[in-house]
């Protein structure tokens, strides 16, 4: 079965990504250690099929006027039997970009990080678990 739950790590960064999550449930959680976790539903996540794997990306900071920051990573296609975990290494990419009101004007810039991940095949919940 194709893996659908991934945990990716790089130093203080941790990303949890679930493929096939119910639209209202967070499908991706990003935490960089210096701030609170950021959760994204499936509609806030961009996925693009490429020759390098699936590029998954989210807007970490977005301002129409002054620019923002995006984070993405390449996800390999992995078949992992239920109940097992498979490790892999991939690359994450940060993009910083300016907007029309950015002073001084700044061109986009990118930085790459090596991510170490685990992949599993899990049953995806249909509703979010209630918190006590």
């Amino acid at each position: 079965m194709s893996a659908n739950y991934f945990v990716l790590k790089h130093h203080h960064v941790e990303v949890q990504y679930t493929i096939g999550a119910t639209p209202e449930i967070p499908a991706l959680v990003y935490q960089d250690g210096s701030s609170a976790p950021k959760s994204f539903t499936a509609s806030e996540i961009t996925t693009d099929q490429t020759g390098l794997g699936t590029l998954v990306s989210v807007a970490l900071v977005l301002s129409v006027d002054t620019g923002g920051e995006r984070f993405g990573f390449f996800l390999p296609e992995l078949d992992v039997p239920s109940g097992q975990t498979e490790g892999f290494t991939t690359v994450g990419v940060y993009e910083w970009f300016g907007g029309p009101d950015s002073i001084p004007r700044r061109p986009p810039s990118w930085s790459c990080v090596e991510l170490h991940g685990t992949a599993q095949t899990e049953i995806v919940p249909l509703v979010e678990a209630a918190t006590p």
Side-chain angles (χ1 to χ4, degrees), residues 7-16 29-34 60 71 94 113-116:
V7 177
L8 306 163
K9 296 180 181 182
H10 173 80
H11 297 294
H12 301 290
V13 172
E14 180 171 313
V15 177
Q16 297 174 22
V29 178
Y30 172 93
Q31 185 163 15
D32 68 8
S34 65
L60 295 177
F71 174 74
Y94 287 93
V113 294
E114 183 177 61
L115 297 169
H116 300 279

Side-chain angles (χ1 to χ4, degrees), residues 89-100:
T89 302
T90 188
V91 65
V93 181
Y94 287 93
E95 177 194 21
W96 296 273
F97 55 93

Side-chain angles (χ1 to χ4, degrees), residues 1-6 8 19 54 74-81 85-90 117-121:
M1 296 182 79
S2 290
N4 64 344
Y5 178 71
F6 303 86
L8 306 163
I19 297 172
T54 301
F74 286 96
L75 201 59
E77 177 87 21
L78 297 171
D79 287 326
V80 181
T85 300
E86 184 172 327
F88 65 98
T89 302
T90 188
T118 58
Q120 296 177 313
T121 302

